[in-house]
């Protein structure tokens, strides 16, 4: 637990939250400022600032929990879709530096905007970048 971390305080019960799911490794709560009704955030109980710091064990369990909660959300809310998204670092829009996954229920006609302007690669550029990144994978 990190003393100044708001999500660690929520996990510890010092700050109340509307909790959807909890097990030994994760707590899933309602986001306090939701993009849509039912917007949830999934918090590992261990403090990791972001994906880069996360351990393999927590990472491998995260998607299983996310799928279970997302399925329950879809059934209960009757949403047409759901975005699972996760910000790492200020540049990527992260505002709370305790790793978390957003689960955002989506309706066909909602006005939530997660779009970006699409760019394009020059000849051979994508392959070159792919090769360079691949060399660093441990
Ligand atoms: P980020 O921008 O870091 O990806 O997302 C942080 C999220 O945490 C935001 O959607 C914000 O509304 C939510 N949040 C921040 N403080 C609290 C809090 O005290 N309680 C809950 N339930 N959500 C919070
Ligand atoms: Zn924390």
């Amino acid at each position: 637990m990190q003393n100044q971390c708001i999500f660690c305080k929520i996990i510890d019960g010092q700050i109340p939250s509307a909790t959807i799911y909890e097990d030994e490794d994760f707590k899933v709560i309602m986001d306090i400022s939701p993009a849509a009704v039912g917007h949830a955030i999934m918090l590992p109980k261990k403090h990791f600032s972001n994906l880069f710091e996360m351990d393999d064990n927590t990472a491998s369990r995260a998607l299983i929990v996310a799928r279970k909660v997302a399925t329950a959300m879809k059934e209960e809310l009757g949403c047409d879709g759901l975005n699972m998204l996760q910000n790492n670092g200020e540049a990527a829009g992260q505002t709370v530096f305790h790793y978390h996954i957003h689960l955002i229920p989506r309706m066909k006609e909602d006005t939530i905007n997660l779009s970006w302007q699409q760019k394009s690669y020059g000849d051979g550029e994508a392959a070159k970048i792919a090769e360079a990144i691949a060399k660093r994978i441990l």
Side-chain angles (χ1 to χ4, degrees), residues 1 3-4 13-14 16 25-27 30 42 49-50 56 64 104 114-115 117 119 128-129 131 133-134 137:
M1 164 155 184
N3 281 344
Q4 294 312 310
Q14 294 175 35
D25 298 320
F26 294 96
K27 187 168 176 130
M30 292 281 103
M42 187 176 135
S49 298
N50 52 45
D56 281 359
I64 296 170
I104 305 176
L114 300 173
S115 67
Q117 219 179 343
K119 298 179 177 62
K128 204 171 151 191
I129 292 166
E131 199 186 345
I133 295 169
I137 293 176

Coordinates of all heavy atoms in Angstrom, one line a residue, residues 1 3-4 13-14 16 25-27 30 42 49-50 56 64 104 114-115 117 119 128-129 131 133-134 137:
M1 N 0.8 -1.2 0.0 CA 0.0 0.0 0.0 C 0.9 1.3 0.0 O 1.8 1.3 0.7 CB -0.9 0.0 1.2 CG -1.5 1.3 1.5 SD -3.0 1.2 2.5 CE -3.5 3.0 2.5
N3 N 1.0 5.2 0.8 CA 0.2 6.1 1.7 C -0.6 7.2 1.0 O -1.7 7.4 1.4 CB 1.2 6.8 2.7 CG 1.6 5.9 3.8 OD1 0.9 4.8 4.0 ND2 2.7 6.2 4.5
Q4 N 0.0 7.7 0.0 CA -0.7 8.9 -0.6 C -1.6 8.5 -1.8 O -2.2 9.3 -2.5 CB 0.3 9.9 -1.1 CG 1.1 10.6 0.0 CD 0.1 11.1 1.1 OE1 -0.9 11.8 0.9 NE2 0.5 10.7 2.4
G13 N -10.2 0.3 2.4 CA -11.5 0.6 3.1 C -11.5 2.0 3.8 O -12.5 2.3 4.4
Q14 N -10.4 2.7 3.6 CA -10.4 4.1 4.3 C -11.3 5.1 3.5 O -11.7 6.0 4.1 CB -8.9 4.6 4.2 CG -7.9 3.8 5.1 CD -6.5 4.4 4.9 OE1 -6.3 5.6 4.7 NE2 -5.5 3.5 4.9
P16 N -14.7 5.1 1.0 CA -15.8 4.2 0.6 C -15.9 4.2 -0.9 O -15.5 5.1 -1.6 CB -17.0 4.8 1.2 CG -16.7 6.3 1.5 CD -15.2 6.4 1.7
D25 N -7.1 -10.6 -5.1 CA -6.1 -9.8 -5.9 C -6.7 -8.5 -6.5 O -6.0 -7.6 -6.9 CB -5.6 -10.6 -7.1 CG -4.9 -11.9 -6.6 OD1 -4.1 -11.7 -5.7 OD2 -5.1 -12.9 -7.2
F26 N -8.0 -8.4 -6.6 CA -8.7 -7.3 -7.3 C -9.9 -6.8 -6.6 O -10.6 -7.5 -5.9 CB -9.1 -7.7 -8.7 CG -8.0 -8.1 -9.6 CD1 -7.6 -9.4 -9.8 CD2 -7.3 -7.1 -10.3 CE1 -6.6 -9.7 -10.7 CE2 -6.2 -7.4 -11.1 CZ -5.9 -8.7 -11.3
K27 N -10.1 -5.5 -6.8 CA -11.4 -4.9 -6.4 C -11.9 -4.1 -7.6 O -11.2 -3.4 -8.3 CB -11.1 -3.9 -5.2 CG -12.4 -3.3 -4.6 CD -12.0 -2.7 -3.2 CE -13.1 -2.0 -2.6 NZ -13.3 -2.4 -1.2
M30 N -17.4 1.2 -8.9 CA -18.0 2.2 -9.8 C -17.0 3.4 -9.9 O -16.5 3.9 -8.8 CB -19.3 2.7 -9.3 CG -20.4 1.7 -9.3 SD -21.1 1.5 -10.9 CE -20.4 0.0 -11.4
M42 N -11.3 -1.3 -12.4 CA -10.8 -2.6 -11.8 C -9.4 -2.3 -11.3 O -8.5 -1.9 -12.0 CB -10.8 -3.6 -12.9 CG -10.4 -5.0 -12.4 SD -10.5 -6.1 -13.8 CE -9.1 -7.0 -13.5
S49 N 2.1 1.4 -10.3 CA 1.8 2.7 -10.9 C 1.1 2.5 -12.3 O 0.2 3.2 -12.6 CB 3.0 3.5 -11.1 OG 3.6 3.8 -9.9
N50 N 1.6 1.5 -13.0 CA 1.1 1.4 -14.4 C 1.5 0.0 -14.9 O 2.1 -0.8 -14.2 CB 1.8 2.4 -15.3 CG 3.3 2.5 -15.1 OD1 3.9 1.4 -15.1 ND2 3.8 3.7 -15.0
D56 N 3.7 -10.5 -13.6 CA 3.1 -11.5 -14.5 C 1.8 -12.1 -13.9 O 0.8 -12.3 -14.6 CB 4.0 -12.6 -14.9 CG 5.0 -12.1 -16.0 OD1 4.9 -10.9 -16.4 OD2 5.9 -12.9 -16.4
I64 N -9.1 -12.3 -16.9 CA -10.2 -13.2 -16.4 C -11.2 -12.5 -15.6 O -12.4 -12.6 -15.8 CB -9.5 -14.4 -15.6 CG1 -8.6 -15.2 -16.6 CG2 -10.6 -15.3 -15.1 CD1 -7.8 -16.2 -15.8
I104 N -16.2 0.4 -19.7 CA -17.2 1.4 -20.0 C -18.3 0.8 -20.9 O -18.1 0.5 -22.0 CB -16.6 2.6 -20.7 CG1 -15.4 3.2 -19.8 CG2 -17.6 3.7 -21.0 CD1 -14.6 4.3 -20.5
L114 N -14.2 8.3 -28.1 CA -12.8 7.7 -27.8 C -12.0 7.6 -29.1 O -11.2 6.8 -29.3 CB -13.0 6.3 -27.2 CG -13.7 6.1 -25.9 CD1 -13.9 4.6 -25.6 CD2 -13.0 6.8 -24.8
S115 N -12.4 8.5 -30.1 CA -11.8 8.3 -31.4 C -10.5 9.1 -31.5 O -10.1 10.0 -30.7 CB -12.8 8.8 -32.5 OG -12.9 10.2 -32.3
Q117 N -7.5 10.5 -34.8 CA -7.3 10.7 -36.3 C -6.4 9.6 -36.8 O -5.3 9.5 -36.2 CB -6.7 12.1 -36.5 CG -7.3 12.8 -37.7 CD -6.7 14.1 -37.9 OE1 -6.1 14.7 -37.0 NE2 -6.8 14.6 -39.1
K119 N -3.6 7.8 -39.0 CA -2.4 8.2 -39.8 C -2.1 7.1 -40.7 O -2.7 6.1 -40.7 CB -1.3 8.6 -38.8 CG -1.7 9.8 -37.9 CD -0.5 10.2 -37.0 CE -0.9 11.4 -36.2 NZ -2.1 11.2 -35.3
K128 N 9.6 -2.1 -40.3 CA 10.9 -1.7 -39.6 C 10.6 -1.4 -38.1 O 11.4 -1.9 -37.3 CB 11.4 -0.4 -40.3 CG 12.8 -0.2 -40.2 CD 13.3 1.0 -41.1 CE 14.5 1.7 -40.5 NZ 14.7 3.0 -41.2
I129 N 9.6 -0.8 -37.8 CA 9.3 -0.5 -36.4 C 8.9 -1.7 -35.7 O 9.3 -2.0 -34.6 CB 8.1 0.6 -36.3 CG1 8.6 1.9 -36.9 CG2 7.6 0.7 -34.9 CD1 7.6 2.9 -37.1
E131 N 10.0 -4.7 -36.3 CA 11.2 -5.5 -36.1 C 12.0 -4.9 -34.9 O 12.6 -5.6 -34.1 CB 12.0 -5.5 -37.4 CG 13.1 -6.5 -37.4 CD 14.0 -6.4 -38.7 OE1 13.6 -5.6 -39.6 OE2 15.0 -7.1 -38.7
I133 N 10.9 -3.1 -32.3 CA 10.3 -3.4 -31.1 C 10.4 -4.9 -30.7 O 10.7 -5.2 -29.5 CB 8.8 -3.0 -31.1 CG1 8.6 -1.5 -31.3 CG2 8.0 -3.4 -29.8 CD1 7.2 -1.0 -31.7
A134 N 10.2 -5.7 -31.7 CA 10.3 -7.2 -31.4 C 11.6 -7.6 -30.8 O 11.6 -8.5 -29.9 CB 10.1 -7.9 -32.7
I137 N 11.6 -7.5 -26.9 CA 10.6 -8.2 -26.1 C 11.4 -9.3 -25.3 O 12.1 -10.1 -25.9 CB 9.5 -8.9 -27.0 CG1 8.7 -7.7 -27.6 CG2 8.7 -9.8 -26.2 CD1 7.6 -8.2 -28.5

